[in-house]
Amino acid sequence: MGPAPRRVMNFDFSPSEEVFRKQVRGWLEANVPDDLRGRSFAATRADRDEVGRLRVWQRRMYEAGYVGMDWPSEFGGRGASVVEQIVLYEEMARAGAPQFVNRGALGMLGPTLMAHGTPSQQRRFLPGILTADALWCQGFSEPNAGSDLANLQTRAELDGDHFVVRGQKVWTSMAHVADWCFALVRTDRSAPKHRGITFLLVDMRSAGIAVRPLRQMTGEAEFNEVFFENVRVPVENVVGRVNEGWGVAITTLAYERDLLTFIRHIGLRNALHRLIALARRTGGAADPVVRQRIAALAIGEHCLRLNGYRSLTKILRGGAPGPEGSTAKLFWSHLDQELAEVATGVLGPYSQLTEGTDRAPDDGQWAFYELLAQASGIRAGTSEILRNILGERVLGLAKD
Ligand SMILES: Cc1cc2nc3c(=O)[nH]c(=O)nc-3n(C[C@H](O)[C@H](O)[C@H](O)COP(=O)(O)OP(=O)(O)OC[C@H]3O[C@@H](n4cnc5c(N)ncnc54)[C@H](O)[C@@H]3O)c2cc1C
């Protein structure tokens, strides 16, 4: 008897997938606006004008059939195959195309509404997510509820057919430009902390909402404090059941760690290409240690991509993201920070020059990247918390 046949994975694309790739590539080449091209590797969504341009860009991509390709057709998508979705992301990275401005809603809220929303919520909210006519922010974190999210204290009390919301959210990305917010609020203060939470869709134009920008170390204010003072929200805006929002939020967070990490990968790949070009241009590539670190980054990026294919396949085959998404998020943030560090080393003191400064390499995007990367290990679950999840829920280690 000969040796057992090896199971071989085939990563080649079929002829029809290659046709699709050609089509997307041609479309992106002709359509990515010059003022947005190449910026996705150190992208900001703080600037209102830039957000306006990104909205137009998402809409254009939607009209061409490239937004929400993986969404089922009943929800306005194309029910595309996992491979087409991957090809799209790869080509967006190759073209230096910006990511979708409404990616939080596309990657998190959309799937959450498909799983837990009513048909009327799905009809009302899903189209605007795809077209970017409605920009969304995520109102989860509070001053005393970050890693310990279930400690959230923003209250919502029933008054007739409305909830009245009082409290504060913090670190709310995009709140200054958002039309809507998907928020977690406490609706039963006597229940244990994971119960008594409700998932609510709040119109950001409601009376009683105040948004205060928080300036970040990048110099920009992409996230905000959001204050709710007796904000009235119709009961029909509850997703899932009242007091059972924790289960809904878990769906959202799982998609945040898994799907969004795959999308963030576009930015990482762009940055890696830019780093290689930078190392060649500056002569840094002649240093064997720099070469080794860049090679390690390229290998890491490849692993992240293959791991992303695996989770995306599972999701598009009807499965839900599991705690394994935490590996992708943890690994991505590690790579992102390592990449920023290597670039800073290659540039030396020039790495400090910011946008608009004379002689700033790549118009100061590296200085921005280095500062922004500090947040990678915090947002969407800190690295410590992700290690806890992996240890306890994936590896089955004892809690203590
Ligand atoms: C750029 C950026 C954008 C963000 N955007 C949003 C947004 O749009 N919407 C939103 O709701 N939130 C947003 N956040 C908030 C983010 O989710 C929280 O910052 C994160 O969950 C951590 O919470 P915290 O800041 O309160 O830190 P804390 O939870 O107070 O943690 C402080 C430190 O203690 C560690 N720690 C805490 N508990 C444990 C534990 N049990 N075991 C081991 N270590 C522990 C943490 O790892 C961390 O190092 C954003 C954050 C950043 C940086």
Side-chain angles (χ1 to χ4, degrees), residues 45 108 137-149 169-174 216 222-223 256-257 372 374-385 388:
R45 293 174 298 166
M108 288 188 275
C137 62
Q138 177 187 17
F140 280 21
S141 305
E142 296 183 6
N144 287 314
S147 303
D148 188 11
L149 183 59
K169 296 289 172 182
V170 74
W171 322 128
T172 321
S173 299
M174 310 278 290
Q216 288 151 253
E222 183 260 356
F223 56 33
E256 178 174 26
R257 281 173 199 159
L372 194 66
Q374 303 310 309
S376 300
I378 303 174
R379 66 192 334 173
T382 68
S383 298
E384 291 78 13
I385 294 298
N388 285 350

Side-chain angles (χ1 to χ4, degrees), residues 231-304:
V231 177
R232 296 183 71 79
V233 182
V235 284
E236 72 242 28
N237 288 11
V238 170
V239 180
R241 288 167 189 247
V242 174
N243 293 333
E244 292 181 16
W246 187 250
V248 183
I250 293 297
T251 305
T252 312
L253 293 173
Y255 277 97
E256 178 174 26
R257 281 173 199 159
D258 205 326
L259 214 59
L260 278 196
T261 300
F262 194 80
I263 297 172
R264 283 193 191 107
H265 177 242
I266 299 176
L268 185 77
R269 241 178 131 188
N270 271 328
L272 182 62
H273 293 157
R274 300 284 282 254
L275 174 63
I276 293 168
L278 181 80
R280 288 201 171 116
R281 206 169 65 230
T282 56
D287 178 339
V289 174
V290 170
R291 293 170 74 87
Q292 251 173 40
R293 290 182 80 183
I294 294 179
L297 282 168
I299 293 166
E301 188 271 336
H302 199 74
C303 293
L304 190 67

Side-chain angles (χ1 to χ4, degrees), residues 133-256:
D133 284 334
L135 282 191
W136 288 80
C137 62
Q138 177 187 17
F140 280 21
S141 305
E142 296 183 6
N144 287 314
S147 303
D148 188 11
L149 183 59
N151 193 40
L152 61 97
Q153 302 298 328
T154 294
R155 284 158 56 181
E157 280 167 10
L158 199 56
D159 177 22
D161 53 3
H162 281 71
F163 278 103
V164 179
V165 182
R166 298 185 190 100
Q168 184 202 340
K169 296 289 172 182
V170 74
W171 322 128
T172 321
S173 299
M174 310 278 290
H176 59 299
V177 285
D179 306 293
W180 285 85
C181 175
F182 52 100
L184 293 179
V185 292
R186 186 158 298 285
T187 34
D188 181 355
R189 289 200 291 159
S190 60
K193 70 179 187 178
H194 290 86
R195 311 227 175 98
I197 290 175
T198 298
F199 194 107
L200 207 55
L201 307 177
V202 183
D203 185 340
M204 290 296 281
R205 283 162 301 221
S206 312
I209 297 185
V211 176
R212 287 199 207 138
L214 288 167
R215 198 147 296 280
Q216 288 151 253
M217 67 197 281
T218 55
E220 298 192 301
E222 183 260 356
F223 56 33
N224 306 266
E225 292 178 296
V226 183
F227 297 89
F228 298 88
E229 211 185 310
N230 298 328
V231 177
R232 296 183 71 79
V233 182
V235 284
E236 72 242 28
N237 288 11
V238 170
V239 180
R241 288 167 189 247
V242 174
N243 293 333
E244 292 181 16
W246 187 250
V248 183
I250 293 297
T251 305
T252 312
L253 293 173
Y255 277 97
E256 178 174 26

